[in-house]
Amino acid sequence: MPTYTVLANANEAQFQNPQELVSIWGDVREDIERLGGELRESYALVGRYDFQLTFEVEDEEAALQIAIAIEGHGLDTETMRAVPIERMGELVEDL
Protein backbone atom coordinates (compact mmCIF):
# COMPACT_ATOMS: atom_id res chain seq x y z
CA MET A 1 0.00 0.00 0.00
CA PRO A 2 1.25 3.53 -0.71
CA THR A 3 2.52 5.52 2.27
CA TYR A 4 1.59 9.11 3.03
CA THR A 5 3.01 11.55 5.56
CA VAL A 6 0.98 14.35 7.09
CA LEU A 7 2.67 17.36 8.66
CA ALA A 8 0.18 19.17 10.86
CA ASN A 9 -0.15 22.25 13.00
CA ALA A 10 -2.75 22.75 15.68
CA ASN A 11 -5.19 25.47 14.78
CA GLU A 12 -4.82 27.59 17.93
CA ALA A 13 -8.35 28.98 17.68
CA GLN A 14 -9.68 25.41 17.88
CA PHE A 15 -8.05 24.32 21.16
CA GLN A 16 -8.31 26.00 24.55
CA ASN A 17 -5.59 23.92 26.24
CA PRO A 18 -3.10 21.11 25.49
CA GLN A 19 -5.33 18.45 27.08
CA GLU A 20 -8.01 19.20 24.50
CA LEU A 21 -5.50 18.68 21.72
CA VAL A 22 -4.32 15.34 23.14
CA SER A 23 -7.90 14.07 23.24
CA ILE A 24 -8.35 14.07 19.42
CA TRP A 25 -5.82 11.34 18.57
CA GLY A 26 -8.16 8.39 19.14
CA ASP A 27 -10.69 10.00 16.81
CA VAL A 28 -7.99 10.71 14.21
CA ARG A 29 -6.89 7.05 14.27
CA GLU A 30 -10.53 5.92 13.93
CA ASP A 31 -11.06 8.19 10.91
CA ILE A 32 -7.93 6.87 9.21
CA GLU A 33 -9.07 3.27 9.74
CA ARG A 34 -12.67 4.01 8.76
CA LEU A 35 -11.43 5.40 5.44
CA GLY A 36 -9.33 2.32 4.71
CA GLY A 37 -5.97 3.47 6.01
CA GLU A 38 -3.60 2.19 8.64
CA LEU A 39 -1.77 4.62 10.93
CA ARG A 40 1.88 3.56 11.09
CA GLU A 41 3.53 6.32 13.13
CA SER A 42 2.66 9.56 14.86
CA TYR A 43 4.95 12.07 16.51
CA ALA A 44 4.77 15.40 18.29
CA LEU A 45 7.42 17.65 16.74
CA VAL A 46 9.58 20.55 17.84
CA GLY A 47 9.96 22.99 14.97
CA ARG A 48 7.88 24.34 12.11
CA TYR A 49 5.18 21.67 12.49
CA ASP A 50 3.47 20.37 15.63
CA PHE A 51 2.80 16.78 14.51
CA GLN A 52 3.72 14.18 11.93
CA LEU A 53 1.57 11.17 11.05
CA THR A 54 2.44 8.39 8.63
CA PHE A 55 -0.27 6.15 7.23
CA GLU A 56 -0.77 3.62 4.47
CA VAL A 57 -3.84 3.56 2.25
CA GLU A 58 -4.77 1.93 -1.06
CA ASP A 59 -5.21 4.97 -3.28
CA GLU A 60 -4.80 8.70 -3.65
CA GLU A 61 -8.53 9.42 -3.30
CA ALA A 62 -8.62 7.72 0.10
CA ALA A 63 -5.46 9.64 1.11
CA LEU A 64 -7.24 12.89 0.26
CA GLN A 65 -10.30 11.86 2.29
CA ILE A 66 -8.06 11.05 5.25
CA ALA A 67 -6.28 14.41 4.99
CA ILE A 68 -9.64 16.21 4.96
CA ALA A 69 -10.85 14.15 7.94
CA ILE A 70 -7.70 15.03 9.91
CA GLU A 71 -8.26 18.72 9.18
CA GLY A 72 -11.78 18.31 10.54
CA HIS A 73 -10.20 17.76 13.96
CA GLY A 74 -8.76 21.29 14.01
CA LEU A 75 -5.38 20.60 12.42
CA ASP A 76 -3.91 22.43 9.44
CA THR A 77 -2.22 19.79 7.30
CA GLU A 78 0.23 19.24 4.48
CA THR A 79 0.02 15.72 3.06
CA MET A 80 2.68 14.10 0.89
CA ARG A 81 3.24 10.72 -0.74
CA ALA A 82 6.26 9.02 0.83
CA VAL A 83 8.49 6.60 -1.08
CA PRO A 84 10.91 4.34 0.81
CA ILE A 85 14.55 5.03 0.01
CA GLU A 86 14.97 1.38 -1.06
CA ARG A 87 12.27 1.92 -3.71
CA MET A 88 13.97 5.08 -4.98
CA GLY A 89 16.92 2.97 -6.13
CA GLU A 90 14.58 0.94 -8.34
CA LEU A 91 12.87 4.04 -9.68
CA VAL A 92 16.06 5.78 -10.79
CA GLU A 93 17.78 2.65 -12.13
CA ASP A 94 16.77 3.28 -15.74
CA LEU A 95 17.42 7.03 -15.81
Side-chain angles (χ1 to χ4, degrees):
M1 274 197 289
T3 301
Y4 292 83
T5 293
V6 177
L7 297 172
N9 282 316
N11 183 330
E12 293 175 18
Q14 195 80 12
F15 301 100
Q16 302 302 314
N17 58 57
Q19 291 80 9
E20 238 182 295
L21 181 58
V22 170
S23 72
I24 69 167
W25 294 112
D27 294 336
V28 169
R29 179 184 293 276
E30 286 177 14
D31 282 349
I32 290 170
E33 291 173 359
R34 178 178 54 80
L35 294 166
E38 185 174 339
L39 183 63
R40 292 294 188 185
E41 299 177 308
S42 56
Y43 298 97
L45 304 175
V46 176
R48 181 174 175 206
Y49 294 95
D50 297 324
F51 305 100
Q52 185 240 330
L53 302 110
T54 301
F55 64 90
E56 292 180 348
V57 68
E58 283 296 328
D59 57 51
E60 192 172 85
E61 289 83 10
L64 178 58
Q65 289 177 319
I66 289 170
I68 292 168
I70 292 169
E71 285 195 353
H73 291 284
L75 300 172
D76 298 322
T77 66
E78 182 176 346
T79 304
M80 297 160 269
R81 172 84 186 266
V83 178
I85 294 297
E86 299 81 29
R87 180 82 172 105
M88 281 297 296
E90 297 170 23
L91 294 172
V92 299
E93 201 169 86
D94 295 330
L95 295 179

